[in-house]
Amino acid sequence: MKYYGAVEAGGTKFVCSIIADPDHYYEEIRFPTTTPEETINKTIAFFLEKRRRYKLEAIGISCFGPIDLNRASPTYGYITTTPKPNWHYTDVVGPIKRALNLPVGFDTDVNGAALAEYIWGNPGKAKTLVYYTIGTGLGGGVVIDGEPVHGLVHPEAGHILLRQDFSKDPYQGFCKYHGNCFEGLCCGPAIKDRFGIPGDELGEDHPFWDIFAEYVAQACCTQIYQISPEKIVLGGGVMQQLHVFPKIHKNVLRMLNNYIQHPLILEHIENYITPPVLGDRSGSCGAMALAAKELDRSPK
Ligand code: ADP
Ligand code: ZN
């Protein structure tokens, strides 16, 4: 059995665990994201202690962003232009690698989760997969042929623009940068800002879920046109409202209007746009998958 250290580095909390595979979790610690120094030191301390018991092969960090993924860059492994106070240009990989002297895999939280779903949640063997998380923030990651897509920086598919019907939803949006982008309209805090209560208290029959399903379907269609994924996974706290999936499916079919015709979409859309198969393990398994990937590419 190979043991990996998984770090889900989120804007509100860090979750560190020791994982061998999705069915074998050994240890876990959760703590709030405070200052970079304190948070990274707690991460290091956890693994230093646990490695006495588990022979760790590598560490994987799936991280809130934006982050620098360019290995040739002097700020590779940093969180870069985040609006989160104190975390602007913070080296995350460097101190962890130095303290533990292990290969350290690093990617966005959503690319990590997309990779985990690609590896372990992919009965149809999709080669191209998009993962959206709709939670405190809203992010989208992409995996093609087993490789998380980076490109120039990395996808920021949570900030795509959508068509808003102001007569049904007269809301200015919650995104600090763009107002009513996808994140600005659909993330958990945007729901709370609209109604004064969080999404989990709205009730399944609240009219907002029709509006929400319209937006999510628009985002899925954009991904379908742009990336042509073989699978779209929708996770995160807000997507625990599983009753919105059938609405999203119906809207996507209506919006595509038979322009894209593929049996995966036309006949089996319920298997095409799905909740994460790994459930809330996709984050930590994603970090573990990044660790395993980094171990693979490290000199033996
Ligand atoms: P994070 O994004 O912080 O890692 P989550 O993915 O759990 O964590 O997302 C938290 C957000 O999701 C909060 O804004 C919360 O109000 C919302 N949320 C959590 N559970 C539900 C639910 N069952 N229905 C609707 N919204 C929910
Ligand atoms: Zn935005």
Side-chain angles (χ1 to χ4, degrees):
M1 190 89 75
K2 282 188 173 162
Y3 300 107
Y4 300 96
V7 184
E8 286 179 82
T12 42
K13 66 175 185 301
F14 268 47
V15 182
C16 303
S17 42
I18 312 275
I19 308 179
D21 62 55
D23 297 319
H24 294 90
Y25 276 59
Y26 296 93
E27 306 272 348
E28 185 187 283
I29 187 174
R30 294 165 179 255
F31 44 87
T33 309
T34 55
T35 62
E37 199 187 3
E38 183 179 38
T39 312
I40 292 170
N41 282 343
K42 273 192 184 164
T43 302
I44 291 169
F46 172 77
F47 290 118
L48 280 177
E49 195 217 314
K50 296 301 171 196
R51 82 185 314 182
R52 288 194 231 145
R53 183 146 172 226
Y54 303 93
K55 184 185 168 292
L56 294 177
E57 305 280 345
I59 306 286
I61 307 170
S62 56
C63 194
F64 72 97
I67 60 181
D68 188 347
L69 293 171
N70 174 7
R71 288 176 192 266
S73 156
T75 52
Y76 169 75
Y78 281 49
I79 291 171
T80 57
T81 52
T82 178
K84 193 172 170 55
N86 302 320
W87 285 80
H88 194 79
Y89 278 91
T90 294
D91 186 4
V92 178
V93 170
I96 293 177
K97 204 174 163 59
R98 281 192 296 277
L100 299 169
N101 194 25
L102 289 170
V104 178
F106 185 61
D107 215 312
T108 62
D109 42 11
V110 276
N111 268 350
L115 183 61
E117 286 292 317
Y118 178 94
I119 298 171
W120 293 293
N122 191 359
K125 304 252 177 295
K127 293 262 176 223
T128 307
L129 182 147
V130 169
Y131 181 100
Y132 267 120
T133 180
I134 307 183
T136 305
L138 198 165
V142 182
V143 168
I144 297 179
D145 287 334
E147 285 301 320
V149 170
H150 294 168
L152 187 66
V153 180
H154 48 72
E156 282 286 359
H159 294 273
I160 60 171
L161 300 180
L162 304 177
R163 191 187 283 167
Q164 183 176 3
D165 181 343
F166 287 94
S167 68
K168 288 189 189 148
D169 183 28
Y171 176 59
Q172 76 282 6
F174 197 78
C175 177
K176 232 175 149 164
Y177 293 88
H178 319 111
N180 62 348
C181 65
F182 185 18
E183 173 171 285
L185 291 173
C186 290
C187 68
I191 299 173
K192 184 155 187 229
D193 191 39
R194 271 191 194 81
F195 303 110
I197 50 170
D200 56 321
E201 290 175 26
L202 279 187
E204 289 190 12
D205 52 359
H206 194 284
F208 175 71
W209 295 118
D210 288 331
I211 296 166
F212 177 83
E214 176 81 14
Y215 293 144
V216 178
Q218 285 186 27
C220 290
C221 287
T222 296
Q223 296 302 326
I224 292 168
Y225 295 133
Q226 181 82 32
I227 306 281
S228 205
E230 290 167 325
K231 190 169 166 64
I232 298 177
V233 180
L234 303 175
V238 182
M239 288 312 301
Q240 285 178 42
Q241 301 283 333
L242 293 177
H243 59 94
V244 299
F245 274 92
K247 292 182 204 254
I248 294 167
H249 295 149
K250 227 170 108 194
N251 289 343
V252 166
L253 290 172
R254 188 193 82 239
M255 287 170 191
L256 293 177
N257 199 19
N258 277 320
Y259 180 65
I260 308 273
Q261 298 202 12
H262 191 285
L264 278 186
I265 295 178
L266 295 180
E267 292 164 24
H268 300 290
I269 195 161
E270 69 284 357
N271 299 328
Y272 179 68
I273 300 175
T274 71
V277 171
L278 295 170
D280 56 11
R281 288 174 301 162
S282 47
S284 48
C285 289
M288 181 244 145
L290 294 173
K293 219 168 171 11
E294 190 67 19
L295 181 66
D296 267 355
R297 75 191 300 284
S298 306
K300 297 285 171 304

PDB file of all heavy atoms in Angstrom, residues 12-13 133-137 187-189 191-192 198-201 209 235-241, ligand 1:
ATOM      1  N   THR A  12     -11.430  28.906   3.120  1.00  0.00           N
ATOM      2  CA  THR A  12     -11.952  28.986   4.493  1.00  0.00           C
ATOM      3  C   THR A  12     -11.347  27.932   5.407  1.00  0.00           C
ATOM      4  O   THR A  12     -11.178  28.162   6.590  1.00  0.00           O
ATOM      5  CB  THR A  12     -13.493  28.855   4.539  1.00  0.00           C
ATOM      6  OG1 THR A  12     -13.889  27.829   3.636  1.00  0.00           O
ATOM      7  CG2 THR A  12     -14.177  30.126   4.138  1.00  0.00           C
ATOM      8  N   LYS A  13     -11.044  26.741   4.832  1.00  0.00           N
ATOM      9  CA  LYS A  13     -10.414  25.726   5.692  1.00  0.00           C
ATOM     10  C   LYS A  13      -9.412  24.891   4.894  1.00  0.00           C
ATOM     11  O   LYS A  13      -9.492  24.799   3.667  1.00  0.00           O
ATOM     12  CB  LYS A  13     -11.479  24.821   6.320  1.00  0.00           C
ATOM     13  CG  LYS A  13     -12.227  23.959   5.317  1.00  0.00           C
ATOM     14  CD  LYS A  13     -13.169  23.003   6.038  1.00  0.00           C
ATOM     15  CE  LYS A  13     -13.865  22.030   5.098  1.00  0.00           C
ATOM     16  NZ  LYS A  13     -14.687  22.593   4.041  1.00  0.00           N
ATOM     17  N   THR A 133     -17.433  23.048  -9.130  1.00  0.00           N
ATOM     18  CA  THR A 133     -17.899  23.046  -7.744  1.00  0.00           C
ATOM     19  C   THR A 133     -18.660  24.345  -7.493  1.00  0.00           C
ATOM     20  O   THR A 133     -18.193  25.429  -7.852  1.00  0.00           O
ATOM     21  CB  THR A 133     -16.753  22.885  -6.727  1.00  0.00           C
ATOM     22  OG1 THR A 133     -17.325  22.894  -5.418  1.00  0.00           O
ATOM     23  CG2 THR A 133     -15.732  23.993  -6.788  1.00  0.00           C
ATOM     24  N   ILE A 134     -19.850  24.207  -6.931  1.00  0.00           N
ATOM     25  CA  ILE A 134     -20.673  25.369  -6.612  1.00  0.00           C
ATOM     26  C   ILE A 134     -20.830  25.391  -5.095  1.00  0.00           C
ATOM     27  O   ILE A 134     -21.599  24.614  -4.527  1.00  0.00           O
ATOM     28  CB  ILE A 134     -22.039  25.296  -7.335  1.00  0.00           C
ATOM     29  CG1 ILE A 134     -21.810  25.071  -8.843  1.00  0.00           C
ATOM     30  CG2 ILE A 134     -22.843  26.558  -7.065  1.00  0.00           C
ATOM     31  CD1 ILE A 134     -23.068  25.050  -9.689  1.00  0.00           C
ATOM     32  N   GLY A 135     -19.987  26.191  -4.462  1.00  0.00           N
ATOM     33  CA  GLY A 135     -19.979  26.230  -2.998  1.00  0.00           C
ATOM     34  C   GLY A 135     -19.793  27.664  -2.543  1.00  0.00           C
ATOM     35  O   GLY A 135     -20.453  28.575  -3.045  1.00  0.00           O
ATOM     36  N   THR A 136     -18.847  27.882  -1.618  1.00  0.00           N
ATOM     37  CA  THR A 136     -18.545  29.238  -1.157  1.00  0.00           C
ATOM     38  C   THR A 136     -18.061  30.076  -2.343  1.00  0.00           C
ATOM     39  O   THR A 136     -18.404  31.237  -2.488  1.00  0.00           O
ATOM     40  CB  THR A 136     -17.466  29.197  -0.063  1.00  0.00           C
ATOM     41  OG1 THR A 136     -17.933  28.327   0.960  1.00  0.00           O
ATOM     42  CG2 THR A 136     -17.204  30.571   0.500  1.00  0.00           C
ATOM     43  N   GLY A 137     -17.229  29.466  -3.172  1.00  0.00           N
ATOM     44  CA  GLY A 137     -16.880  30.043  -4.460  1.00  0.00           C
ATOM     45  C   GLY A 137     -17.451  29.139  -5.536  1.00  0.00           C
ATOM     46  O   GLY A 137     -18.149  28.162  -5.235  1.00  0.00           O
ATOM     47  N   CYS A 187     -22.978  31.161  -6.624  1.00  0.00           N
ATOM     48  CA  CYS A 187     -22.263  30.593  -5.479  1.00  0.00           C
ATOM     49  C   CYS A 187     -23.141  30.689  -4.221  1.00  0.00           C
ATOM     50  O   CYS A 187     -24.111  31.471  -4.183  1.00  0.00           O
ATOM     51  CB  CYS A 187     -20.921  31.302  -5.266  1.00  0.00           C
ATOM     52  SG  CYS A 187     -21.043  33.009  -4.716  1.00  0.00           S
ATOM     53  N   GLY A 188     -22.814  29.904  -3.214  1.00  0.00           N
ATOM     54  CA  GLY A 188     -23.604  29.884  -1.986  1.00  0.00           C
ATOM     55  C   GLY A 188     -23.841  31.282  -1.402  1.00  0.00           C
ATOM     56  O   GLY A 188     -24.984  31.661  -1.111  1.00  0.00           O
ATOM     57  N   PRO A 189     -22.782  32.097  -1.238  1.00  0.00           N
ATOM     58  CA  PRO A 189     -22.978  33.433  -0.670  1.00  0.00           C
ATOM     59  C   PRO A 189     -23.884  34.329  -1.522  1.00  0.00           C
ATOM     60  O   PRO A 189     -24.567  35.205  -0.984  1.00  0.00           O
ATOM     61  CB  PRO A 189     -21.543  33.992  -0.614  1.00  0.00           C
ATOM     62  CG  PRO A 189     -20.683  32.768  -0.491  1.00  0.00           C
ATOM     63  CD  PRO A 189     -21.358  31.712  -1.318  1.00  0.00           C
ATOM     64  N   ILE A 191     -26.522  33.304  -3.061  1.00  0.00           N
ATOM     65  CA  ILE A 191     -27.890  32.891  -2.725  1.00  0.00           C
ATOM     66  C   ILE A 191     -28.288  33.525  -1.395  1.00  0.00           C
ATOM     67  O   ILE A 191     -29.360  34.110  -1.246  1.00  0.00           O
ATOM     68  CB  ILE A 191     -27.987  31.346  -2.673  1.00  0.00           C
ATOM     69  CG1 ILE A 191     -27.624  30.758  -4.052  1.00  0.00           C
ATOM     70  CG2 ILE A 191     -29.383  30.908  -2.241  1.00  0.00           C
ATOM     71  CD1 ILE A 191     -27.522  29.243  -4.072  1.00  0.00           C
ATOM     72  N   LYS A 192     -27.371  33.472  -0.453  1.00  0.00           N
ATOM     73  CA  LYS A 192     -27.656  34.053   0.871  1.00  0.00           C
ATOM     74  C   LYS A 192     -27.851  35.571   0.764  1.00  0.00           C
ATOM     75  O   LYS A 192     -28.728  36.151   1.422  1.00  0.00           O
ATOM     76  CB  LYS A 192     -26.499  33.720   1.825  1.00  0.00           C
ATOM     77  CG  LYS A 192     -26.772  34.194   3.214  1.00  0.00           C
ATOM     78  CD  LYS A 192     -26.032  33.428   4.276  1.00  0.00           C
ATOM     79  CE  LYS A 192     -26.523  33.894   5.620  1.00  0.00           C
ATOM     80  NZ  LYS A 192     -25.473  34.225   6.543  1.00  0.00           N
ATOM     81  N   PRO A 198     -29.415  30.986   3.717  1.00  0.00           N
ATOM     82  CA  PRO A 198     -28.601  30.169   2.817  1.00  0.00           C
ATOM     83  C   PRO A 198     -29.459  29.207   1.980  1.00  0.00           C
ATOM     84  O   PRO A 198     -30.616  28.934   2.331  1.00  0.00           O
ATOM     85  CB  PRO A 198     -27.688  29.386   3.764  1.00  0.00           C
ATOM     86  CG  PRO A 198     -28.361  29.410   5.084  1.00  0.00           C
ATOM     87  CD  PRO A 198     -29.217  30.640   5.131  1.00  0.00           C
ATOM     88  N   GLY A 199     -28.847  28.712   0.913  1.00  0.00           N
ATOM     89  CA  GLY A 199     -29.556  27.836  -0.025  1.00  0.00           C
ATOM     90  C   GLY A 199     -30.198  26.627   0.625  1.00  0.00           C
ATOM     91  O   GLY A 199     -31.295  26.214   0.225  1.00  0.00           O
ATOM     92  N   ASP A 200     -29.549  26.090   1.636  1.00  0.00           N
ATOM     93  CA  ASP A 200     -30.110  24.864   2.228  1.00  0.00           C
ATOM     94  C   ASP A 200     -31.384  25.145   3.026  1.00  0.00           C
ATOM     95  O   ASP A 200     -32.072  24.220   3.434  1.00  0.00           O
ATOM     96  CB  ASP A 200     -29.070  24.128   3.085  1.00  0.00           C
ATOM     97  CG  ASP A 200     -28.485  25.005   4.166  1.00  0.00           C
ATOM     98  OD1 ASP A 200     -28.243  26.190   3.897  1.00  0.00           O
ATOM     99  OD2 ASP A 200     -28.274  24.509   5.277  1.00  0.00           O
ATOM    100  N   GLU A 201     -31.707  26.435   3.226  1.00  0.00           N
ATOM    101  CA  GLU A 201     -32.957  26.743   3.943  1.00  0.00           C
ATOM    102  C   GLU A 201     -34.063  27.238   3.019  1.00  0.00           C
ATOM    103  O   GLU A 201     -35.151  27.588   3.466  1.00  0.00           O
ATOM    104  CB  GLU A 201     -32.672  27.808   5.024  1.00  0.00           C
ATOM    105  CG  GLU A 201     -31.833  27.271   6.176  1.00  0.00           C
ATOM    106  CD  GLU A 201     -31.448  28.360   7.168  1.00  0.00           C
ATOM    107  OE1 GLU A 201     -32.177  29.365   7.281  1.00  0.00           O
ATOM    108  OE2 GLU A 201     -30.389  28.182   7.811  1.00  0.00           O
ATOM    109  N   TRP A 209     -34.754  27.957  -7.561  1.00  0.00           N
ATOM    110  CA  TRP A 209     -34.050  26.791  -8.110  1.00  0.00           C
ATOM    111  C   TRP A 209     -34.255  26.664  -9.622  1.00  0.00           C
ATOM    112  O   TRP A 209     -33.392  26.123 -10.322  1.00  0.00           O
ATOM    113  CB  TRP A 209     -34.447  25.505  -7.366  1.00  0.00           C
ATOM    114  CG  TRP A 209     -33.991  25.557  -5.933  1.00  0.00           C
ATOM    115  CD1 TRP A 209     -34.793  25.522  -4.822  1.00  0.00           C
ATOM    116  CD2 TRP A 209     -32.649  25.705  -5.454  1.00  0.00           C
ATOM    117  NE1 TRP A 209     -34.026  25.635  -3.682  1.00  0.00           N
ATOM    118  CE2 TRP A 209     -32.710  25.751  -4.029  1.00  0.00           C
ATOM    119  CE3 TRP A 209     -31.397  25.828  -6.068  1.00  0.00           C
ATOM    120  CZ2 TRP A 209     -31.576  25.900  -3.232  1.00  0.00           C
ATOM    121  CZ3 TRP A 209     -30.266  25.974  -5.277  1.00  0.00           C
ATOM    122  CH2 TRP A 209     -30.360  26.005  -3.883  1.00  0.00           C
ATOM    123  N   GLY A 235     -20.376  19.481  -8.472  1.00  0.00           N
ATOM    124  CA  GLY A 235     -20.282  19.204  -7.042  1.00  0.00           C
ATOM    125  C   GLY A 235     -20.334  20.485  -6.225  1.00  0.00           C
ATOM    126  O   GLY A 235     -20.681  21.549  -6.732  1.00  0.00           O
ATOM    127  N   GLY A 236     -19.970  20.373  -4.944  1.00  0.00           N
ATOM    128  CA  GLY A 236     -19.989  21.526  -4.048  1.00  0.00           C
ATOM    129  C   GLY A 236     -21.283  21.572  -3.245  1.00  0.00           C
ATOM    130  O   GLY A 236     -22.270  20.901  -3.589  1.00  0.00           O
ATOM    131  N   GLY A 237     -21.250  22.360  -2.182  1.00  0.00           N
ATOM    132  CA  GLY A 237     -22.364  22.408  -1.233  1.00  0.00           C
ATOM    133  C   GLY A 237     -23.714  22.671  -1.875  1.00  0.00           C
ATOM    134  O   GLY A 237     -24.702  21.991  -1.567  1.00  0.00           O
ATOM    135  N   VAL A 238     -23.781  23.662  -2.765  1.00  0.00           N
ATOM    136  CA  VAL A 238     -25.089  24.033  -3.317  1.00  0.00           C
ATOM    137  C   VAL A 238     -25.668  22.894  -4.170  1.00  0.00           C
ATOM    138  O   VAL A 238     -26.884  22.682  -4.192  1.00  0.00           O
ATOM    139  CB  VAL A 238     -24.990  25.347  -4.135  1.00  0.00           C
ATOM    140  CG1 VAL A 238     -26.362  25.740  -4.666  1.00  0.00           C
ATOM    141  CG2 VAL A 238     -24.412  26.483  -3.288  1.00  0.00           C
ATOM    142  N   MET A 239     -24.800  22.138  -4.822  1.00  0.00           N
ATOM    143  CA  MET A 239     -25.294  21.046  -5.670  1.00  0.00           C
ATOM    144  C   MET A 239     -25.788  19.849  -4.849  1.00  0.00           C
ATOM    145  O   MET A 239     -26.257  18.863  -5.411  1.00  0.00           O
ATOM    146  CB  MET A 239     -24.219  20.604  -6.672  1.00  0.00           C
ATOM    147  CG  MET A 239     -23.967  21.596  -7.788  1.00  0.00           C
ATOM    148  SD  MET A 239     -25.437  22.245  -8.622  1.00  0.00           S
ATOM    149  CE  MET A 239     -26.189  20.748  -9.233  1.00  0.00           C
ATOM    150  N   GLN A 240     -25.709  19.967  -3.513  1.00  0.00           N
ATOM    151  CA  GLN A 240     -26.393  18.943  -2.710  1.00  0.00           C
ATOM    152  C   GLN A 240     -27.902  19.012  -2.902  1.00  0.00           C
ATOM    153  O   GLN A 240     -28.630  18.112  -2.477  1.00  0.00           O
ATOM    154  CB  GLN A 240     -26.034  19.105  -1.236  1.00  0.00           C
ATOM    155  CG  GLN A 240     -24.624  18.619  -0.954  1.00  0.00           C
ATOM    156  CD  GLN A 240     -24.258  18.831   0.504  1.00  0.00           C
ATOM    157  OE1 GLN A 240     -25.056  18.588   1.392  1.00  0.00           O
ATOM    158  NE2 GLN A 240     -23.042  19.299   0.716  1.00  0.00           N
ATOM    159  N   GLN A 241     -28.376  20.078  -3.538  1.00  0.00           N
ATOM    160  CA  GLN A 241     -29.792  20.179  -3.927  1.00  0.00           C
ATOM    161  C   GLN A 241     -29.988  19.295  -5.156  1.00  0.00           C
ATOM    162  O   GLN A 241     -30.056  19.766  -6.289  1.00  0.00           O
ATOM    163  CB  GLN A 241     -30.137  21.633  -4.263  1.00  0.00           C
ATOM    164  CG  GLN A 241     -29.901  22.598  -3.134  1.00  0.00           C
ATOM    165  CD  GLN A 241     -31.003  22.521  -2.084  1.00  0.00           C
ATOM    166  OE1 GLN A 241     -32.134  22.160  -2.381  1.00  0.00           O
ATOM    167  NE2 GLN A 241     -30.682  22.860  -0.854  1.00  0.00           N
TER     168      GLN A 241
HETATM  169  P1  ADP B   1     -16.514  25.302   0.303  1.00  0.00           P
HETATM  170  O1  ADP B   1     -16.916  25.815  -1.045  1.00  0.00           O
HETATM  171  O2  ADP B   1     -16.371  26.385   1.315  1.00  0.00           O
HETATM  172  O3  ADP B   1     -15.379  24.350   0.280  1.00  0.00           O
HETATM  173  P2  ADP B   1     -19.020  23.820   0.231  1.00  0.00           P
HETATM  174  O4  ADP B   1     -18.772  23.230  -1.104  1.00  0.00           O
HETATM  175  O5  ADP B   1     -19.664  22.962   1.277  1.00  0.00           O
HETATM  176  O6  ADP B   1     -17.721  24.419   0.892  1.00  0.00           O
HETATM  177  O7  ADP B   1     -19.951  25.074   0.002  1.00  0.00           O
HETATM  178  C1  ADP B   1     -20.452  25.860   1.033  1.00  0.00           C
HETATM  179  C2  ADP B   1     -21.583  26.728   0.476  1.00  0.00           C
HETATM  180  O8  ADP B   1     -22.627  25.879  -0.011  1.00  0.00           O
HETATM  181  C3  ADP B   1     -22.214  27.637   1.500  1.00  0.00           C
HETATM  182  O9  ADP B   1     -22.464  28.905   0.887  1.00  0.00           O
HETATM  183  C4  ADP B   1     -23.524  26.956   1.864  1.00  0.00           C
HETATM  184  O10 ADP B   1     -24.547  27.884   2.186  1.00  0.00           O
HETATM  185  C5  ADP B   1     -23.879  26.212   0.606  1.00  0.00           C
HETATM  186  N1  ADP B   1     -24.558  24.947   0.895  1.00  0.00           N
HETATM  187  C6  ADP B   1     -24.109  23.937   1.667  1.00  0.00           C
HETATM  188  N2  ADP B   1     -25.004  22.940   1.715  1.00  0.00           N
HETATM  189  C7  ADP B   1     -26.043  23.324   0.945  1.00  0.00           C
HETATM  190  C8  ADP B   1     -27.302  22.729   0.594  1.00  0.00           C
HETATM  191  N3  ADP B   1     -27.648  21.525   1.025  1.00  0.00           N
HETATM  192  N4  ADP B   1     -28.101  23.424  -0.235  1.00  0.00           N
HETATM  193  C9  ADP B   1     -27.757  24.641  -0.691  1.00  0.00           C
HETATM  194  N5  ADP B   1     -26.620  25.260  -0.382  1.00  0.00           N
HETATM  195  C10 ADP B   1     -25.779  24.620   0.428  1.00  0.00           C
END
